[in-house]
């Protein structure tokens, strides 16, 4: 997915929502992201590490950190996600914009962090005039709790600048692949567009995505193929060609590795997998879930 632009409720420096994710390919954004697994299990893949986050656990993703999400649940997951814009929190000379948290899993003050996310989520449905004041107060308490719960370092301006430059290049790579994944593209071609060597680009992609260029390209193509299989009546051969693959056998092998099904069986069994194909960006598969039931479970936890 391209650099993710996140829209927030007017007047608030964060976005908070429930979602069920089947797969979300590599992407990044400038927001600090915290995920609470309300139900199920997900695999969070970062550039240098992989973490299985289980029901009741919290994880943290730093701004500009490349990540992908894959569902590992027997049924499906339900995630409560908050994405905070550091530059909108102006206390302490924009300290939050300069922080790099050191841990992915939040193992301290987990109940406090979770309950604040629950309170903010429930309050977001309140349209009374005092609600925005309360939500702004909650986010400051939430950040203070994070600072107590997770070790961090304050980045110097040179590291912040270097990070920005690196991710501008990475944004180009991701945007290019997601715009041309169904064409014949290779690392030489992309390296020439960036005016760097193939070796340099290969190392750069591996360093930031944690996988090779070909594996990343295959991941984007595979997710698009799943969209087509479950939302159209296209033949498997046409799905293969439209997704950028040249061999249905290769597509079948990739699908079986991810889901345990061949392409044909995946299409037949899709009602059991509860897949939903919304108007989502390339690289995303979201799943339907009972939002009212999840809302009631959150309310019951705080009562």
């Amino acid at each position: 997915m391209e650099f993710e632009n996140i829209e927030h409720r007017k007047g608030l420096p964060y976005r908070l929502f429930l979602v069920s994710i089947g797969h979300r390919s590599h992407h990044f954004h400038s927001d600090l992201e915290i995920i609470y697994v309300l139900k199920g299990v997900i695999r969070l893949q970062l550039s240098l590490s992989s973490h299985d986050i289980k029901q009741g656990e919290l994880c943290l993703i730093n701004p500009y950190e490349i990540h992908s999400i894959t569902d590992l649940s027997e049924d499906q997951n339900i995630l409560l996600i908050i994405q905070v814009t550091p530059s909108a929190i102006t206390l302490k000379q924009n300290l939050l914009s300069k922080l790099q948290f050191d841990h992915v899993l939040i193992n301290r003050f987990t109940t406090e962090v979770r309950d604040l996310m629950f309170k903010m989520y429930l309050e977001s449905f309140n349209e009374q005039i005092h609600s925005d004041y309360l939500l702004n107060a909650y986010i400051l308490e939430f950040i203070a709790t994070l600072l107590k719960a997770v070790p961090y370092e304050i980045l110097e301006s040179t590291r912040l600048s270097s990070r920005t430059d690196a991710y501008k290049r990475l944004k180009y790579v991701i945007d290019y692949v997601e715009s041309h994944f169904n064409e014949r593209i290779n690392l030489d071609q992309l390296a020439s567009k960036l005016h760097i060597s193939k070796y340099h680009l290969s190392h750069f992609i591996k360093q930031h995505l944690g996988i090779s260029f070909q594996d990343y390209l295959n991941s984007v193509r595979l997710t698009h193929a799943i969209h087509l299989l479950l939302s159209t009546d296209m033949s498997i051969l046409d799905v293969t060609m439209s997704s950028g693959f040249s061999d249905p056998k290769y597509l079948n092998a990739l699908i079986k590795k991810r889901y345990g099904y061949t392409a044909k069986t995946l299409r037949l069994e899709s009602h059991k997998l509860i897949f939903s194909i919304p108007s989502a960006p390339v690289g995303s598969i979201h799943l339907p879930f009972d939002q009212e039931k999840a809302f009631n479970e959150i309310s019951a936890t705080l009562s």
Side-chain angles (χ1 to χ4, degrees), residues 168-192:
K168 284 180 181 178
R169 176 176 291 175
L170 192 59
K171 179 184 184 305
Y172 182 89
V173 171
I174 293 175
D175 284 350
Y176 187 85
V177 168
E178 297 218 343
S179 297
H180 301 275
F181 67 89
N182 56 350
E183 302 170 15
R184 183 172 292 181
I185 59 176
N186 56 52
L187 200 57
D188 286 303
Q189 180 182 355
L190 194 51
S192 67

Side-chain angles (χ1 to χ4, degrees), residues 158-220:
T158 52
R159 284 187 63 187
L160 289 170
S161 177
S162 176
R163 181 179 69 177
T164 301
D165 292 342
Y167 287 108
K168 284 180 181 178
R169 176 176 291 175
L170 192 59
K171 179 184 184 305
Y172 182 89
V173 171
I174 293 175
D175 284 350
Y176 187 85
V177 168
E178 297 218 343
S179 297
H180 301 275
F181 67 89
N182 56 350
E183 302 170 15
R184 183 172 292 181
I185 59 176
N186 56 52
L187 200 57
D188 286 303
Q189 180 182 355
L190 194 51
S192 67
K193 291 182 178 295
L194 288 167
H195 307 291
I196 58 177
S197 71
K198 176 183 176 181
Y199 171 80
H200 187 120
L201 182 57
S202 176
H203 177 74
F204 177 81
I205 291 173
K206 182 72 174 180
Q207 177 186 2
H208 289 280
L209 295 185
I211 56 177
S212 69
F213 171 75
Q214 190 60 51
D215 285 343
Y216 169 60
L217 178 59
N218 284 342
S219 176
V220 173

Side-chain angles (χ1 to χ4, degrees), residues 138-150:
Y138 279 148
I139 192 59
L140 294 180
E141 184 179 358
F142 180 77
I143 292 168
T145 306
L146 279 183
L147 294 175
K148 292 188 294 182
V150 186

Side-chain angles (χ1 to χ4, degrees), residues 7 9 13 35 43 61 74 76 80 87 92 94 104 111 117 119 129 151 164 187 220 222-223 225 229 234 243 263:
E7 294 184 4
R9 176 172 166 177
I35 300 174
R43 174 160 294 160
I61 303 160
E74 290 185 5
Q76 69 178 104
L80 181 60
S87 60
K92 290 283 185 181
N94 291 87
V104 175
T111 301
M117 291 178 70
K119 288 177 182 178
I129 194 168
T164 301
L187 200 57
V220 173
L222 175 60
T223 303
L229 279 170
M234 292 173 63
S243 303

Side-chain angles (χ1 to χ4, degrees), residues 9-287:
R9 176 172 166 177
K10 188 175 179 180
L12 296 176
Y14 63 91
R15 181 182 176 213
L16 184 68
F17 55 93
L18 278 173
V19 67
S20 182
I21 297 177
H23 182 71
R24 183 72 169 88
S25 65
H26 293 80
H27 67 289
F28 67 99
H29 42 71
S30 59
D31 281 11
L32 171 68
E33 182 169 343
I34 295 90
I35 300 174
Y36 176 74
V37 181
L38 191 66
K39 176 186 175 185
V41 184
I42 60 169
R43 174 160 294 160
L44 175 65
Q45 182 69 49
L46 304 175
S47 57
L48 298 176
S49 61
S50 179
H51 307 267
D52 291 352
I53 317 297
K54 304 177 183 64
Q55 182 171 319
E57 293 184 333
L58 284 152
C59 62
L60 181 151
I61 303 160
N62 282 295
Y64 297 99
E65 190 164 27
I66 307 297
H67 56 286
S68 66
I69 296 172
T70 301
D71 185 27
L72 299 182
S73 311
E74 290 185 5
D75 183 4
Q76 69 178 104
N77 62 69
I78 299 178
L79 313 175
L80 181 60
I81 300 178
I82 184 169
Q83 295 164 326
V84 183
T85 301
S87 60
I89 309 295
T90 57
L91 295 177
K92 290 283 185 181
Q93 289 139 350
N94 291 87
L95 176 67
L96 195 60
S97 296
K98 305 170 187 176
L99 295 186
Q100 175 88 15
F101 288 94
D102 295 336
H103 291 178
V104 175
L105 285 172
I106 301 175
N107 294 319
R108 300 177 64 238
F109 297 95
T110 51
T111 301
E112 291 85 345
V113 172
R114 181 205 67 184
D115 286 356
L116 281 166
M117 291 178 70
F118 283 5
K119 288 177 182 178
M120 284 188 281
Y121 177 73
L122 296 176
E123 188 62 34
S124 67
F125 293 91
N126 188 347
E127 297 182 358
Q128 296 185 40
I129 194 168
H130 69 267
S131 181
D132 279 0
Y133 291 96
L134 187 56
L135 287 169
N136 274 292
Y138 279 148
I139 192 59
L140 294 180
E141 184 179 358
F142 180 77
I143 292 168
T145 306
L146 279 183
L147 294 175
K148 292 188 294 182
V150 186
Y152 60 86
E153 61 177 316
I154 301 174
L155 301 181
E156 298 178 356
S157 57
T158 52
R159 284 187 63 187
L160 289 170
S161 177
S162 176
R163 181 179 69 177
T164 301
D165 292 342
Y167 287 108
K168 284 180 181 178
R169 176 176 291 175
L170 192 59
K171 179 184 184 305
Y172 182 89
V173 171
I174 293 175
D175 284 350
Y176 187 85
V177 168
E178 297 218 343
S179 297
H180 301 275
F181 67 89
N182 56 350
E183 302 170 15
R184 183 172 292 181
I185 59 176
N186 56 52
L187 200 57
D188 286 303
Q189 180 182 355
L190 194 51
S192 67
K193 291 182 178 295
L194 288 167
H195 307 291
I196 58 177
S197 71
K198 176 183 176 181
Y199 171 80
H200 187 120
L201 182 57
S202 176
H203 177 74
F204 177 81
I205 291 173
K206 182 72 174 180
Q207 177 186 2
H208 289 280
L209 295 185
I211 56 177
S212 69
F213 171 75
Q214 190 60 51
D215 285 343
Y216 169 60
L217 178 59
N218 284 342
S219 176
V220 173
R221 286 173 169 170
L222 175 60
T223 303
H224 183 72
I226 300 299
H227 275 274
L228 295 179
L229 279 170
L230 302 184
S231 63
T232 75
D233 294 324
M234 292 173 63
S235 70
I236 293 174
L237 177 60
D238 287 341
V239 168
T240 301
M241 298 299 142
S242 296
S243 303
F245 294 110
S246 58
D247 184 356
K249 291 181 181 178
Y250 186 53
L251 174 60
N252 264 320
L254 291 176
I255 291 175
K256 193 159 188 178
K257 182 178 180 181
R258 182 184 286 184
Y259 297 112
Y261 293 101
T262 63
K264 182 178 180 180
T265 307
L266 180 70
R267 175 174 271 170
L268 293 172
E269 298 292 322
S270 62
H271 66 285
K272 295 181 180 178
L273 296 174
I274 333 176
F275 271 108
S276 171
I277 308 300
S279 298
V282 173
S284 299
I285 296 177
H286 289 182
L287 310 176

